[in-house]
Structure formats: structure tokens, C-alpha cells
Amino acid sequence: APVNELERVISSRGAEFRQPGLRLEREGFDALAAVRVLGTPAELTFVFDNLLGNALRAVRGEDEAMIRVAAARSGGSATVTIEDTGKGIASSEHKHVFARGVSEKGGGHGLPRSREILERRGGSIALVRSAPGEGAAFEVKLKVVLDDV
């Protein structure tokens, strides 16, 4: 279940999530608790760690910040949305966020690699909202293969 990988990443980055003024919100994790999706645990962990790491960097040093991780199920898809109230991304940069080597911190390989992993598994990743000073929201869609009962 993708929530297992989400919980693992949140747990492994525990100290970062405890920075003063940061609130972590989880929503809808129960909706995906018994769902299996296309993608290995290592692949899902990479994608979620990249997105949560980016969100944590975006809010670092803010007096009041929020990172929200929301999970939902719709038909044959599981959706995980990760949003933050960080510095945001200028609209002129939106089309470049998934290009290799494009990064404020000098990396620029996490989002393109995440997109490759997800698309190979029938999923997708999209920047759904971002503006300077207003944070960012990314949406990951995963293909559901099984509901455990």
C-alpha cells in the first residue's frame, strides 16, 4: 500500500518534520491502506521522499509552515497530493520543473526521475498549483492493481 511508503518516509525524516513552526497534516490515508499499486516499495519511496524533501526545503526557516499529505482513491487510481506553504515556484518555471538539471539547489534529478518511474508504471506526477510565496502542490497518480480485503 502506498501509505506504507509515505509513513516510512515521514518517519525517516522525523527530525525535519519537527522543525519549529511546521505543521504536518495527513488526510485520507485510510482510503489507501488496503490498496496495492503498480510500483515497487523502493520506487514509491524514492518518489515520496523526493516530494517531501522538496516540500521540507521549501518551508525551511519559516515561522509558520504547513505540509499536507492527502491520499484519495478514485476508480482505478490512487492519488497522493503533497502540498506546502513554502516559497513556491514562479509560473515561468512551471514548465521546467520536470526537466533534468533544473533546480535552485543544484540537483534537479529527483522530479524527472520520479516522472520516469511513475509513467513506466502507468502513473503520473503533476505540479497542480504553485506561486511565489504561496507554496506548491504536486499530485501523484498511481495505478491500482489490487484491493486487499
Side-chain angles (χ1 to χ4, degrees), residues 3-143:
V3 293
N4 295 343
E5 282 75 28
L6 274 168
E7 291 288 7
R8 247 181 249 123
V9 170
I10 290 168
S11 190
S12 74
R13 289 182 170 269
E16 292 173 272
F17 279 109
R18 287 190 295 276
Q19 66 182 314
L22 175 59
R23 190 173 83 247
L24 171 64
E25 292 183 2
R26 291 178 172 97
E27 184 180 301
F29 277 34
D30 291 350
L32 300 187
V35 171
R36 303 231 178 164
V37 297
L38 276 181
T40 67
E43 289 171 333
L44 296 177
T45 296
F46 178 89
V47 170
F48 296 144
D49 188 61
N50 179 254
L51 288 171
L52 287 166
N54 289 348
L56 283 161
R57 276 188 294 285
V59 300
R60 189 171 292 140
E62 291 192 8
D63 293 336
E64 279 190 42
M66 187 264 300
I67 294 176
R68 182 172 162 269
V69 183
R73 169 76 193 271
S74 177
S77 292
T79 303
V80 175
T81 304
I82 296 174
E83 59 184 303
D84 65 69
T85 58
K87 58 184 174 261
I89 303 164
S91 57
S92 60
E93 297 303 310
H94 287 193
K95 62 184 173 285
H96 302 295
V97 295
F98 294 105
R100 284 213 179 275
V102 176
S103 170
E104 288 184 7
K105 67 178 191 337
H109 297 286
L111 288 174
R113 178 85 181 107
S114 293
R115 176 176 264 179
E116 287 168 13
I117 288 168
L118 292 165
E119 288 180 349
R120 191 172 62 240
R121 299 293 188 173
S124 64
I125 183 173
L127 173 63
V128 291
R129 178 190 54 75
S130 187
E134 294 179 19
F138 284 85
E139 183 180 84
V140 172
K141 282 195 187 277
L142 302 161
K143 189 172 177 145

